[in-house]
């Protein structure tokens, strides 16, 4: 039993030490033929900026440069087969946390962007609405409640 506890303690310490010394940054990516429409949508509707762009790849960042999302043209010769099939437009969403969800909702409605879920308050306290990008990616825009 003492050996088991010692092994468990070592494994926990090793895992904790690895997690504390490893830096990670996530960048979601969507494989799509709609690079131009995607760029227009994210830059004009959500005020994202372009970090990098070429003929087959688009990397965008949030207004505060705190997160990025990438878009890749399908079937490009520079990419491995695993990264060549296009997204089929179902089963993916992004959550964007904002300080003033009401203000952004009004601005997006003014731009006549279709609203998929109208602005609402949830029983757990969050206030949010949802739109969809040109690729079918759902975008949930939320102001979290401090509950």
């Amino acid at each position: 039993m003492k050996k088991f506890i010692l092994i468990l303690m070592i494994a926990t310490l090793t895992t904790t030490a690895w997690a504390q010394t490893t830096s990670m940054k996530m960048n979601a990516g969507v494989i799509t033929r709609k690079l131009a429409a995607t760029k227009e949508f994210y830059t004009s509707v959500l005020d994202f900026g372009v970090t990098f762009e070429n003929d087959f790849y688009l990397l965008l960042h949030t207004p505060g440069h705190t997160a990025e999302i990438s878009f890749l043209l399908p079937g490009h010769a520079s990419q491995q087969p695993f990264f060549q099939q296009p997204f089929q437009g179902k089963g993916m969403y992004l959550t964007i946390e904002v300080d003033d969800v009401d203000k952004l909702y009004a601005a997006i409605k003014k731009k006549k962007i279709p609203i998929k879920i109208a602005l609402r308050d949830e029983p757990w306290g969050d206030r949010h609405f949802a739109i969809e990008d040109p690729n079918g990616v759902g975008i949930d825009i939320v102001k979290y409640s401090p509950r």
Side-chain angles (χ1 to χ4, degrees), residues 1-25:
M1 182 66 163
K2 286 182 183 181
K3 278 186 179 181
F4 174 74
I5 292 173
L6 180 60
I7 290 170
L8 185 60
M9 286 175 57
I10 291 170
T12 302
L13 290 172
T14 303
T15 303
T16 303
W18 178 83
Q20 290 174 352
T21 60
T22 302
S23 175
M24 289 188 188
K25 179 180 174 185

Side-chain angles (χ1 to χ4, degrees), residues 28 30 37-38 40-48 60 62 69 71 87 89 91-98 101 104-105 108 113-119 127-144:
V30 177
T38 298
E40 174 64 24
F41 176 85
Y42 281 90
T43 58
S44 67
V45 176
L46 296 172
D47 203 26
F48 279 35
L60 302 173
T62 56
I69 184 166
F71 299 90
F87 175 64
M92 181 179 178
Y93 71 94
L94 305 172
T95 299
I96 300 174
E97 183 179 357
V98 297
V101 71
L104 188 54
Y105 183 73
I108 286 176
I113 301 301
I115 304 295
K116 296 297 186 177
I117 298 174
L119 185 62
R127 185 164 174 77
H128 72 116
F129 69 97
I131 58 178
E132 185 177 49
D133 87 354
N135 307 293
V137 175
I139 301 173
D140 187 34
I141 301 173
V142 64
K143 168 67 177 164
Y144 289 123

